[in-house]
Amino acid sequence: MADAFVDRSLDEIRFWSRIMKEHSLFLKLGFHCDDTKLIDEANRFYTIFEDIENQALSLSPDVDPQRIFDFNNTVHNAVCHIWKFKRKVLDLIIRCRIGGNNFPLLVDHVSREAAYFMKRLEQLNTGTLDPLPDAIINENVFFLRIMADHAKFINHLLDPSERKLVEQAREFSHDFDQLLFQAIDLNSMRPQSQTLPLLDQFVDQNRVSVRQLRDFKKTARDLIEACRIKSIIPPLLADHVFREASHFLEILDSFELALSSSK
């Protein structure tokens, strides 16, 4: 169990610390040039999470579990602070106290991911990870909303003349909104909805849709990197959303494997 705790902790921190680091950069790029204090804060968080990422990459699976327990607490503290920063930025935007190019939904989006990361670290250190039926519904409710948000951001950041890609992004936004509503319905029907056939169908259906979105994001990322389409999407942001879709697909694959072994 100690090995599983270490492996899971390092996997989560390696993935999410890079995400938090990149959030800091994206927020910074969206601030008005006069908002120097916010820019400085974003730079500080970038450095903090870059250091966390490097530490996590340097640790081996045979590290003392107590060291990982302490590391998780340290990372949790950093994530708590960046979550507060993101909510402060959201408040400033909504109250029209700052300008810039950060969509309010994007700032809310990145704060939800920080809250998810905090909860995961808490669950790992307390040994209270969700049982499989609860994990399937909870993870899907969270990530389906993330995927729907991504489609909306891509839609708004592509040049309007990229009509085919804009339409594809709009369709993905609609499709993932519907999948999210379906997941919320399944959530409200718990525990009666947590039968093996329903969960199996739920996971299988979502895997198909997430794989299609992941492939669309990969194509968009490759086209952006090659300067073959018109957009204001930075290549790093295109890769960022691609990695998150790939991560969700890995989670769904693990659910599919777990459900198959239960049959």
Side-chain angles (χ1 to χ4, degrees):
M1 292 302 294
D3 289 343
F5 166 71
V6 169
D7 288 343
R8 181 69 180 274
S9 297
L10 290 177
D11 284 346
E12 295 283 356
I13 293 173
R14 286 166 181 166
F15 178 80
W16 286 109
S17 62
R18 182 179 180 185
I19 296 296
M20 296 297 113
K21 178 183 74 173
E22 291 171 354
H23 286 172
S24 304
L25 176 61
F26 299 146
L27 290 173
K28 168 191 168 182
L29 295 175
F31 292 139
H32 191 277
C33 60
D34 291 337
D35 293 319
T36 54
K37 289 185 177 180
L38 293 175
I39 291 171
D40 288 344
E41 280 192 83
N43 282 333
R44 183 171 60 84
F45 280 117
Y46 185 96
T47 300
I48 288 170
F49 282 97
E50 184 174 51
D51 181 60
I52 288 171
E53 180 188 12
N54 289 336
Q55 287 185 62
L57 290 170
S58 71
L59 293 169
S60 61
D62 59 354
V63 66
D64 182 0
Q66 181 60 47
R67 183 176 175 187
I68 296 300
F69 181 91
D70 295 338
F71 187 38
N72 285 352
N73 282 333
T74 299
V75 176
H76 182 277
N77 184 59
V79 181
C80 180
H81 281 93
I82 197 172
W83 175 83
K84 291 178 181 177
F85 173 65
K86 291 170 177 177
R87 300 309 291 185
K88 178 180 73 174
V89 170
L90 179 60
D91 182 69
L92 291 170
I93 294 171
I94 287 178
R95 294 176 182 274
C96 301
R97 300 287 179 82
I98 60 171
N101 298 310
N102 289 313
F103 292 129
L105 181 61
L106 183 143
V107 183
D108 177 64
H109 173 100
V110 298
S111 73
R112 277 184 266 124
E113 291 187 346
Y116 173 93
F117 187 17
M118 279 192 291
K119 181 179 178 182
R120 179 65 74 243
L121 291 167
E122 292 164 6
Q123 290 178 321
L124 285 164
N125 267 16
T126 57
T128 55
L129 292 172
D130 293 333
L132 180 63
D134 289 323
I136 288 173
I137 293 178
N138 292 341
E139 294 291 304
N140 276 277
V141 168
F142 173 77
F143 275 105
L144 289 171
R145 185 178 181 189
I146 294 298
M147 296 300 110
D149 287 349
H150 285 172
K152 292 174 177 63
F153 299 146
I154 292 169
N155 177 33
H156 285 287
L157 296 172
L158 286 165
D159 189 85
S161 68
E162 295 287 357
R163 300 177 188 278
K164 182 63 176 178
L165 289 174
V166 168
E167 181 60 28
Q168 285 181 282
R170 187 179 296 118
E171 290 173 357
F172 275 119
S173 172
H174 173 75
D175 291 346
F176 275 86
D177 279 344
Q178 297 307 307
L179 291 173
L180 173 60
F181 296 149
Q182 189 167 300
I184 291 171
D185 289 340
L186 203 64
N187 178 48
S188 69
M189 295 179 189
R190 282 198 274 190
Q192 287 78 13
S193 61
Q194 293 173 307
T195 68
L196 184 58
L198 279 179
L199 292 177
D200 191 44
Q201 167 63 14
F202 178 62
V203 169
D204 188 57
Q205 172 184 259
N206 291 346
R207 283 173 72 226
V208 172
S209 296
V210 174
R211 188 178 295 111
Q212 291 172 344
L213 179 60
R214 188 272 315 269
D215 293 345
F216 170 74
K217 289 177 174 178
K218 183 179 186 300
T219 299
R221 180 199 65 183
D222 294 346
L223 291 172
I224 289 167
E225 288 179 347
C227 198
R228 293 179 62 189
I229 60 172
K230 302 176 292 298
S231 79
I232 55 172
I233 303 173
L236 181 61
L237 178 58
D239 185 60
H240 179 97
V241 298
F242 165 73
R243 276 183 273 116
E244 289 192 359
S246 298
H247 184 70
F248 184 24
L249 192 56
E250 290 173 2
I251 292 172
L252 291 172
D253 287 342
S254 70
F255 287 155
E256 176 67 20
L257 183 62
L259 288 169
S260 297
S261 65
S262 301
K263 294 179 181 176

